Each structure stands twice: as C-alpha cells, then as structure tokens.
Amino acid sequence: MPDPDSRPSPEALLRAAKREERGRLKIFLGAAPGVGKTFEMLREGAERLRAGTDVVVAVVETHGRAETQALVAPFEVVARRALPYRGHDLEEMDLDAVLARQPQLALVDEFAHTNVEGSRHPKRWQDVMELLDAGIDVYTTLNVQHVESLNDVVASFTKVRVRETVPDSVFDGAEIEVVDLPPDELIERLKDGKVYVPAEASRALGHFFSKPNLSALREMALRRAALSVDQALLEHLDASALPGTFAGGERVLVAISELPGSDALVRAAKRLADALRAPWQAVYIETPRAERFGEEERRRIATTLSLAASLGATIATVPAANVIEGLTTHVTGMRATQLVIGKSVRSWWFELRHGSVVNAMLRAGNGLAVHVIPADTGAGSSRSSGAAAALWGDPTVYGVIALMIGATIGFGKLAEPWIGLGGVDLIFLLPVLVASGRYGLRPALITGLAAGLGYNFFFLPPLHTFTIADPQSLLTMFVLIGIAAFTANLAGKLKARATLGARGAQENAAIAAFGQALARASDWETTSAIICDEVSRLLDLNVILLNRRGDELAIVASCPAARGELGPVNRAAADWAWDRAEASGVGTATLNASDWQFHPLKTALGVLAVIGIARSDGRDPVRADRAVLLQTLLGQAALAHERLKLEDEVREVSLLKERDRLRAALLSSIGHDLRTPLTSVATAIEAIAVDHPGAPTLPIARMEVARLRRFLDNLIDMVRIDSGTLELHPEPIDLTDAIGGAVHDLKDLFRGRHIDLKVPANLPFVIADPTLLHHILINLLANAAQHGGEGGTITIMGRRTPDAVELSVRDEGPGIPVGEEARIFETFAQGRGSDRHGGSGLGLAIVKGFADAMGVRASAANHERGGASFTLQFPNHLIESASIQT
C-alpha cells in the first residue's frame, strides 16, 4: 500500500517540466558503423512524415549508397552551409536555416561529428542541443564507442582511440533505440561493400571489425541503452511518488561505518556492481554517536568514502537519528535493489538499545537483496578498551554526580522535618533528571542507582544500612532507577534530533551567508577573496584559488596569505584538476603526494577556476561529516564564477551593440546627407548633356554618378541589414528577367564588355523579394565588372540541381586569395574581404545580408579556369516548380 506521506520529488517534477519546454531527442544507438542506424532513423522519420508531422532532413550522410539516397528523397532537405577549411569548402549543417525553418522534427545524422572551424559550435551534439532548446524534436544516430564514459573501455580492446565523443549527459531525458545487428551479419555487409569501399573494408575486417570487437561493442550498446531506460524509469517514479524498487535494472548500495573492515565492504560492492553491470553508491549514515568518534574513526570513514569514489561509486553522507532510520530512508529514496552491509559482533545490550541493522533491513526490504559481509573482528579488538572508556564518558562527570547526590542528601536532611519522609524521595528525582538531560544514559543510570542507595542509607529505617525493611521503599528505589533510564533515553533522542537540526541549520545559514556574500561581489578579485575567506573559516582549512594567467595557473587569492609558489607536484595536481575537471592531490586517487587537494570549479562554460585546500597539520583536508558542505560551497563558488563570466560577455555584447548603433547612425547620416547634393550633380550633368550632347566627358560623368548612387544605396541598405528593419515581400521571380533588369541598369558600366548568359529558359521560378534580389545582382555584377580585368568576359550561369536552383556570376580576374572565401563577405574588409581591392567594402556584405534574409545561400570560390565565382543557391522550398530538371 502506498505510503500516505510520500510526495513526488520536487527535483524530478522540475526536470520533467523543463523537458516539456524543450524538443524531444531520440538517439538511434548502434554498436558500430553499418548496423543500419541512418536507415532506421529515415524509416521512422518517413512514418512521422506520412502521419502529418513536419519533418526535414537537417543533415544525413548517404555515403553514396543508393538505398539511403532513395530514403532521403521524400523529405525536404535543408541546404548545408559551406565553410572554408585549408583551401577547400566543407559543408556543415546550417543551424540557422533549420532554426528559421522551425520544423516539428529534424533528422540529424552523426551525433558525435566535429564541426569545421568557424561553426557556431565545435560539436554537432551542441547544435542538436540548440535545436532542442528551440522546441524542435530531433532524431539522431550514434555509435557506442563515441560515448565519453566508454571511450577508454573501447580503446582498450579495439586499440583505436575515438576522438569524437559526446558527454553522457546527452542521454538524460533522451529516448534510446538500439539498432542491433549480429556480428556475423555485419561482417557480411562489410564484405559486400555496403559499409566501406573494398580496400577500406578488408583493412577494417582485420582490425576494428573483428568478431570479438563487434560482440563486445554490441554488449556495451545494449547495456548503455538499458542504463538510460533505468534512469528514465527512476525519474518517472520520483515524479509520480510510486513506491517500490521497480527492479528493471540493478542498483547497488553499500553502507559503511566507522568500524575496521568497511574497505572490504566497498570492494565487495564494487565486485557485485561489476558483475551486475550496475551503478553503485556508498553511503555513511551520520548519527549523534559520531560526535564521540576519535580521529582514527573519522579518518577511517573519510578513507573508505575516498576508496569508493576512486572505484567509481557515487558517495553520500546522510544525517539521521539512528542508522536503521537513515539507511531505510536512503534505500527507499535510491530505490536500491542490492544492499551490501557488514555484520559486526555486538553485545546483546547494544542490540537491545540500538537494534540490529541487518535484521531491520531484512524485515523492511521489499524486493531488496541484502548481502551481509562478516566484519573483521580481529581488527576491531584493538579498540575495545579505548571504546569502552569513550562510552563511559569523562570521569569528571561522575565527580559532579557524586556532588549532586551529596547535596541532595544534605538538602533532604534539612527538609525532612518540614516535608516528612514521603516528600524526600521526590527530592532525589532532581539529580536523576539533571544527569539524564545533560550526560546521557550511562551517567543517568549511575545517578539513579546512587540516588536510590543514598535514599535507602540515609533516610529509610534501619538507618545507615543498605537493608530495606519496607517493600514500598524497595519500590521507590527501583522507580528512581527506572525514571533515570526512561528520562535519559528520551532526552538522548531529543538531544540527537536537536543536534542534527542545529548542525543542518548552521550549515544552511553558512551556505546562505556565503551565497549572499558572493552575490554582492561584482569583480573577479573580490569574489576570489570571499571564496577563500569563507571556505577557510567554515572548514578551518588553508585555501588557495588558482586561475589561468597566460599559459599557466596562478594563485589569485588565498587564506591565509599564500607563502611562495606551488611546487612541481602541487602544480601538476592543479593542472590535472583544471584539464580533467577532476579532484586531485592529497586524499584523492591522483597525485596524492601533493600537499594540497585541488577541486575544479565546473560550470556549463567549462572549468573556470581551481580551489586548493589543505590543513596546517598535514592531515586529510576534509572530514567525512564536512564533505557534503564542501561540495555545496564549491558549487556556489562555481556559480559565482559563471555569473561573472556571463556578465563580462554581456558587457562585451553591449559594447558591440553600442558600436554598431553608432556606426549605423553614421552610415545613415552620410547616406541621406549626400543623396541631395548627388541629385543636384546628376541634374546638372543632364542639363549639360542637353547643351553639349557630344561632350567626351559626359559618359564618364554619368558612370561615376551612377557609381556614387550605388555606393549611397549600399550604405543605406547596410544600415537596414544591421538594424534588422528589412521587410520581405517574396513573390515568384523569373531569374532570366531579374538578370536582364540588372544588366540593363549597369549598361554604362558594361560598355565594351562581353556578357555570356547561360541561364536555361526552362529554369523554374524562385520565391524571393524582387527588390532585394535586384540589389544582390547589381552588386555581384558590379563587383565582377570592377575586378574582372579590362575587357574580361562576365559569365552568368543558372542550373537546377536535386537540392536547389543555382545562379553563378563568374569573372576572369585574379580571383580570391586562398582562405578568404568566407571573409570576403565581411563589411569594410577591402583587400582581403568584401569587394576585393578597390571597392567600397559594402557590396558583397549586402549580398550576403540580403541573401540570408531571404533564406538564399551565398558563397564565393575560385573557378578552376581562373577568376572568382559567386553563387546563389535557392533551396527547394524557395522554388515554385517542384519538378527536377537537368
């Protein structure tokens, strides 16, 4: 029956709400290339398309396979974006085009692909995350060897280190479909040339595609998918508050204690988790008894937790009133299916008071498998005498008890004549209650026994003997002892809960104060100093904070003040924490010869700083009961650094926007202020033409006025592009007519030049804004005339491809410098950029801006027979005719 007190997890509900705001990701996971991931993705995409979903192909690699190309044919394909790379144009997914298209579902092949330099994101999986943030569902493909956490494992048996990886976090909330193919069938496909060309296939069969490798990869893919399904199940259960383990997958929990032998429990849990291929966690239940632990017990707990972390476990410290309550709650919250726990030799008295943890878990475990490991009793015998002394407490306490009993006896003698013997026994309750509330169970029992004996010896006849003649007096003595036991037990529980509550409140207050102090800081120096000061104060540690200064890490803040530079080992540990985003140094599994323990401040922007902590006495920096507090402080510090980083970026963007605003205002002013005098000049030239029609300088004057008018028009158009005030009025356009109109407007510029027009009459109409397209053609033709050489031919060629209509303008000039093909469209970049040398620096930037606004792709390249070629690509969705003409 469900627990009426159970509530859905707020964190799970919040994560579910965030997923509803984003698109849904489905990953087609395979063991190796060739299993059919792309085929399956396209097949399911086609089903969605037939069901009425708006589906586009953002990028699909067909690798020249006819069957894959046939599957792509029914889809709308978003044209790719060409980026220059080492003298060649490489095509990448056009992220902005997909976002502008806003389909319901985008098909994105090769999830782990590395984008060409100059792309918005270095990795394709980051492009996919942006599509999901925009509310677009994504289907994508991935091979298991590209998963970051499995990279080392795959390299260990394939001997191939995969460089393109995706973080495991991409699987959070994603639907996983395993595309499976038995190794023998995949090898046959490889031999048939369906995966690689024959030469590459024979080489692959002898290396990566061996049957043992494929079998291992297949198992890893199935297990990784099972892990994602299990995580999704837990998310749903937490959000729904459903009880039970729902053991579709195994989850291992090991409970450690301060006793020797806990390291054996951790190793046993590791072996169990490896055998089950299950995630596992190590937990320490912190009870009020921990306050009485010595340094040895605390060190043992910290060492055991560190061992578990180094073996791959997640670790947790859970405060609770007692071990049974804390462990039961944690098992339920984690929905563990396997519990590894130690069984130590306890006295019957201890189990009577505290209960048996093993027996309690066996009774409470609904579907929980409990693995009981005997404790190493030999190792624990050495602490028996010291532990016993610790349990009985401080000897001075018993001196105080003796004084209280003596004072009570004296007060009872004084009060007996007035209150009588029947009231004296109540006075003896006072020291019992005081001892119970202040000193705990054992001192309270001793106080109750001493009070009973004192009352008997000094007040009950026969006096000054321990003989009890009256049965009622015997009952009184036992009542005193019983009240002592009951009161001490009740006070102990209340004190335990108060201690835990006070510690939690103290830590929460410290964290809140730390967060407020960081929120008030507005610069890097102050923030770094606050972090060091507060972490040092709260944890009583020496703290340094390091950040990049040039090519190396440097200390930017410390508390107390840093003495000298870090040694080679310490510097190596700090570099490891920065580069690997992992803790290193003393008390960790990496470079533990260091004097410091280094922790990276990890954020979504990467590692922004490294914190080093150490104790003056050389002991391990962090006690087990302070580990959670440290992690919380590190998280707060990381968030503060991320905020400062984002604020710096916002300030930079604001400066750029202000600069662009001033530039736009200047350009607009120049463009409009010069238009009036230019009109007057043009009018004066026409007046001269009436009086002197044969003047030899008249054509030159008209051509220069036209050039100045184009320049002013370009200035105003550039302002419109930068300010985002372009208004589109698309309509079907015949490219032949558009080219004819542009050539006619430039007839004076083309005087004496040959125009080679190769635009087929049956080229389909394109959907574009006629005014913007006219400006684009004017600028491309003027650019070709200016840089095509004296008397050079300008070739205008149009053609239909399966994906687009292409229109190219080619000149016979010196061409474009290698590597400048993309930068040539930048604004005001003469010589190496827009308009090449001698232009205004605006014409080609306007071409690019207008083309992007209409969804047309503009590119530049050098023609194989010399000269520069500028191409406009109108994708299929901008073509009025759907027929493909060749």
Side-chain angles (χ1 to χ4, degrees):
M1 183 176 179
D3 183 2
D5 294 331
S6 63
R7 295 289 185 271
S9 166
E11 293 80 6
L13 290 175
L14 182 59
R15 288 191 293 267
K18 287 183 178 179
R19 281 197 298 270
E20 289 298 324
E21 298 173 357
R22 306 177 77 229
R24 297 183 180 276
L25 174 65
K26 183 171 184 177
I27 300 175
F28 293 85
L29 182 66
V35 297
K37 302 179 300 297
T38 303
F39 182 91
E40 182 65 18
M41 178 183 71
L42 292 172
R43 188 190 65 77
E44 291 202 16
E47 290 182 359
R48 293 281 301 274
L49 184 65
R50 287 192 294 270
T53 303
D54 183 14
V55 185
V56 301
V57 170
V59 58
V60 166
E61 303 297 343
T62 63
H63 300 291
R65 292 193 284 266
E67 61 270 22
T68 307
Q69 292 174 348
L71 289 173
V72 174
F75 296 98
E76 175 188 334
V77 180
V78 178
R80 301 190 194 185
R81 176 188 178 199
L83 293 170
Y85 183 71
R86 298 181 180 178
H88 301 280
D89 279 349
L90 300 181
E91 292 188 336
E92 293 289 358
M93 179 179 75
D94 193 338
L95 178 59
D96 289 326
V98 179
L99 291 171
R101 175 64 176 76
Q102 200 68 25
Q104 292 176 285
L105 173 63
L107 307 183
V108 181
D109 207 4
E110 297 188 0
F111 195 32
H113 172 77
T114 299
N115 292 329
V116 176
E117 292 181 8
S119 301
R120 182 183 307 176
H121 303 296
K123 298 289 185 178
R124 183 170 290 169
W125 68 263
Q126 295 171 309
D127 294 339
V128 170
M129 293 299 110
E130 187 167 345
L131 293 177
L132 295 174
D133 290 337
I136 300 173
D137 293 348
V138 176
Y139 284 0
T140 189
T141 61
L142 180 70
N143 289 324
V144 71
Q145 65 264 28
H146 295 290
V147 179
E148 180 65 45
S149 63
L150 302 178
N151 187 257
D152 292 340
V153 181
V154 173
S156 67
F157 61 84
T158 63
K159 310 305 179 187
V160 176
R161 172 71 67 174
V162 177
R163 300 298 178 187
E164 294 181 325
T165 60
V166 299
D168 290 59
S169 59
V170 301
F171 289 92
D172 295 343
E175 180 184 352
I176 310 297
E177 179 175 327
V178 178
V179 183
D180 190 31
L181 195 66
D184 291 334
E185 293 186 26
L186 181 55
I187 291 173
E188 286 300 320
R189 283 176 53 84
L190 194 68
K191 290 179 179 178
D192 293 341
K194 296 180 179 180
V195 181
Y196 295 126
V197 296
E200 294 181 355
S202 59
R203 184 168 58 252
L205 283 170
H207 296 85
F208 189 88
F209 279 80
S210 65
K211 187 172 181 179
N213 286 354
L214 293 177
S215 298
L217 290 169
R218 186 187 186 198
E219 180 183 1
M220 292 173 65
L222 293 170
R223 290 189 178 278
R224 187 61 187 81
L227 177 61
S228 295
V229 171
D230 188 58
Q231 291 172 342
L233 171 64
L234 293 178
E235 283 280 331
H236 176 72
L237 294 177
D238 289 343
S240 305
L242 294 175
T245 59
F246 288 81
E250 300 292 347
R251 296 176 286 276
V252 179
L253 178 67
V254 55
I256 68 169
S257 70
E258 78 286 359
L259 298 176
S262 289
D263 54 346
L265 297 181
V266 168
R267 294 187 181 95
K270 169 63 174 174
R271 292 192 295 270
L272 178 61
D274 286 346
L276 298 175
R277 299 293 179 91
W280 65 296
Q281 185 181 78
V283 62
Y284 167 64
I285 308 299
E286 184 184 6
T287 65
R289 292 178 56 247
E291 296 293 333
R292 300 195 298 267
F293 289 167
E295 184 62 32
E296 181 63 27
E297 283 82 5
R298 297 182 187 276
R299 181 183 294 273
R300 190 178 295 124
I301 294 169
T303 302
T304 306
L305 288 175
S306 297
L307 174 63
S310 68
L311 293 177
T314 56
I315 61 174
T317 300
V318 178
N322 57 71
V323 174
I324 296 175
E325 176 187 329
L327 188 55
T328 302
T329 302
H330 193 70
V331 166
T332 303
M334 180 185 170
R335 300 183 189 270
T337 61
Q338 307 280 337
L339 174 64
V340 179
I341 193 170
K343 176 63 175 176
S344 57
V345 178
R346 300 285 195 180
S347 66
W348 66 270
W349 176 242
F350 183 92
E351 292 197 0
L352 179 64
R353 290 183 294 114
H354 299 285
S356 170
V357 178
V358 173
N359 293 338
M361 298 312 300
L362 287 172
R363 287 192 298 267
N366 182 18
L368 177 68
V370 181
H371 302 260
V372 181
I373 310 296
D376 186 358
T377 55
S381 61
S382 61
R383 64 181 290 273
S384 58
S385 60
L391 288 174
W392 284 103
D394 188 356
T396 58
V397 170
Y398 298 97
V400 174
I401 290 173
L403 290 175
M404 287 194 300
I405 296 297
T408 303
I409 292 171
F411 181 72
K413 285 294 185 181
L414 293 176
E416 184 179 8
W418 287 279
I419 63 177
L421 185 61
V424 173
D425 55 355
L426 297 177
I427 298 175
F428 278 86
L429 288 176
L430 294 175
V432 174
L433 294 174
V434 172
S436 299
R438 291 184 59 87
Y439 303 126
L441 181 61
R442 285 177 176 80
L445 291 176
I446 296 298
T447 305
L449 181 61
L453 293 175
Y455 177 69
N456 175 44
F457 189 83
F458 288 102
F459 294 95
L460 295 181
L463 297 177
H464 306 122
T465 68
F466 291 106
T467 303
I468 301 177
D470 188 358
Q472 184 179 357
S473 300
L474 180 64
L475 178 62
T476 301
M477 189 178 71
F478 280 113
V479 166
L480 289 173
I481 298 175
I483 290 176
F486 176 79
T487 308
N489 188 44
L490 182 61
K493 289 183 178 180
L494 294 175
K495 185 178 180 181
R497 295 183 183 277
T499 301
L500 292 174
R503 178 185 301 171
Q506 183 181 8
E507 291 187 356
N508 290 337
I511 293 169
F514 183 55
Q516 292 173 358
L518 290 178
R520 290 192 296 268
S522 58
D523 60 88
W524 292 93
E525 183 178 353
T526 304
T527 299
S528 300
I530 289 174
I531 291 171
C532 290
D533 292 345
E534 291 298 312
V535 173
S536 176
R537 181 181 64 83
L538 294 173
L539 298 177
D540 192 22
L541 297 172
N542 298 330
V543 182
I544 57 175
L545 191 140
L546 301 95
N547 214 325
R548 282 288 182 194
R549 293 293 183 266
D551 295 332
E552 62 180 21
L553 288 173
I555 299 175
V556 296
S558 63
C559 183
R563 297 180 295 274
E565 294 293 327
L566 295 175
V569 176
N570 292 329
R571 183 163 295 281
D575 288 336
W576 179 281
W578 179 280
D579 296 334
R580 304 295 183 91
E582 298 175 356
S584 62
V586 61
T588 70
T590 304
L591 297 171
N592 53 16
S594 171
D595 299 324
W596 295 82
Q597 186 179 99
F598 294 98
H599 295 268
L601 297 186
K602 295 184 290 186
T603 70
L605 306 177
V607 177
L608 299 182
V610 171
I611 284 184
I613 56 176
R615 295 179 70 92
S616 301
D617 55 11
R619 294 182 296 171
D620 289 343
V622 185
R623 290 177 7 202
D625 59 339
R626 304 301 251 173
V628 175
L629 176 60
L630 173 64
Q631 293 302 318
T632 305
L633 295 176
L634 293 177
Q636 293 273 8
L639 288 175
H641 276 73
E642 185 178 38
R643 174 178 60 83
L644 290 176
K645 181 74 171 176
L646 293 174
E647 287 177 354
D648 287 347
E649 293 180 356
V650 168
R651 280 192 288 268
E652 291 177 3
V653 170
S654 299
L655 291 175
L656 290 175
K657 286 184 176 180
E658 180 64 17
R659 189 190 69 180
D660 289 344
R661 187 188 66 79
L662 293 174
R663 186 188 67 174
L666 178 61
L667 292 177
S668 179
S669 176
I670 293 174
H672 287 89
D673 290 348
L674 291 182
R675 187 179 292 277
T676 300
L678 183 62
T679 301
S680 301
V681 171
T683 303
I685 291 175
E686 295 303 322
I688 293 174
V690 173
D691 297 335
H692 306 281
T697 58
L698 194 59
I700 298 175
R702 283 173 170 166
M703 187 172 64
E704 291 301 318
V705 167
R707 189 173 72 85
L708 285 174
R709 183 174 285 116
R710 288 197 304 275
F711 173 67
L712 293 179
D713 289 342
N714 285 343
L715 282 176
I716 296 173
D717 289 341
M718 199 69 241
V719 172
R720 292 168 61 201
I721 293 173
D722 288 344
S723 61
T725 58
L726 284 178
E727 294 184 4
L728 298 180
H729 302 284
E731 61 183 58
I733 297 175
D734 186 342
L735 287 178
T736 304
D737 294 342
I739 294 168
V743 172
H744 178 269
D745 286 352
L746 295 175
K747 60 182 182 296
D748 291 336
L749 183 63
F750 289 154
R751 198 179 305 277
R753 291 181 179 273
H754 176 64
I755 306 295
D756 186 5
L757 189 62
K758 297 181 179 180
V759 180
N762 61 351
L763 203 63
F765 283 23
V766 298
I767 308 299
D769 185 297
T771 303
L772 299 188
L773 181 59
H774 184 72
H775 278 280
I776 289 175
L777 295 175
I778 287 286
N779 280 290
L780 287 179
L781 292 172
N783 185 75
Q786 183 176 356
H787 303 288
E790 292 293 334
T793 299
I794 297 175
T795 303
I796 306 172
M797 184 175 68
R799 69 188 184 110
R800 179 71 163 99
T801 69
D803 299 328
V805 166
E806 295 184 355
L807 182 67
S808 301
V809 177
R810 181 171 70 89
D811 60 47
E812 295 180 349
I816 305 169
V818 176
E820 302 291 328
E821 291 86 349
R823 299 174 66 183
I824 200 169
F825 290 107
E826 295 177 1
T827 307
F828 297 127
Q830 291 187 16
R832 61 169 179 80
S834 179
D835 289 351
R836 290 172 278 174
H837 181 69
S840 66
L842 289 175
L844 294 181
I846 290 171
V847 169
K848 181 66 173 173
F850 282 0
D852 288 345
M854 294 189 296
V856 178
R857 180 172 169 241
S859 59
N862 286 318
H863 197 272
E864 58 186 7
R865 287 182 292 179
S869 177
F870 294 87
T871 302
L872 301 175
Q873 288 184 324
F874 298 84
N876 282 333
H877 67 277
L878 295 180
I879 301 173
E880 188 175 60
S881 173
S883 62
I884 299 178
Q885 305 175 29
T886 59

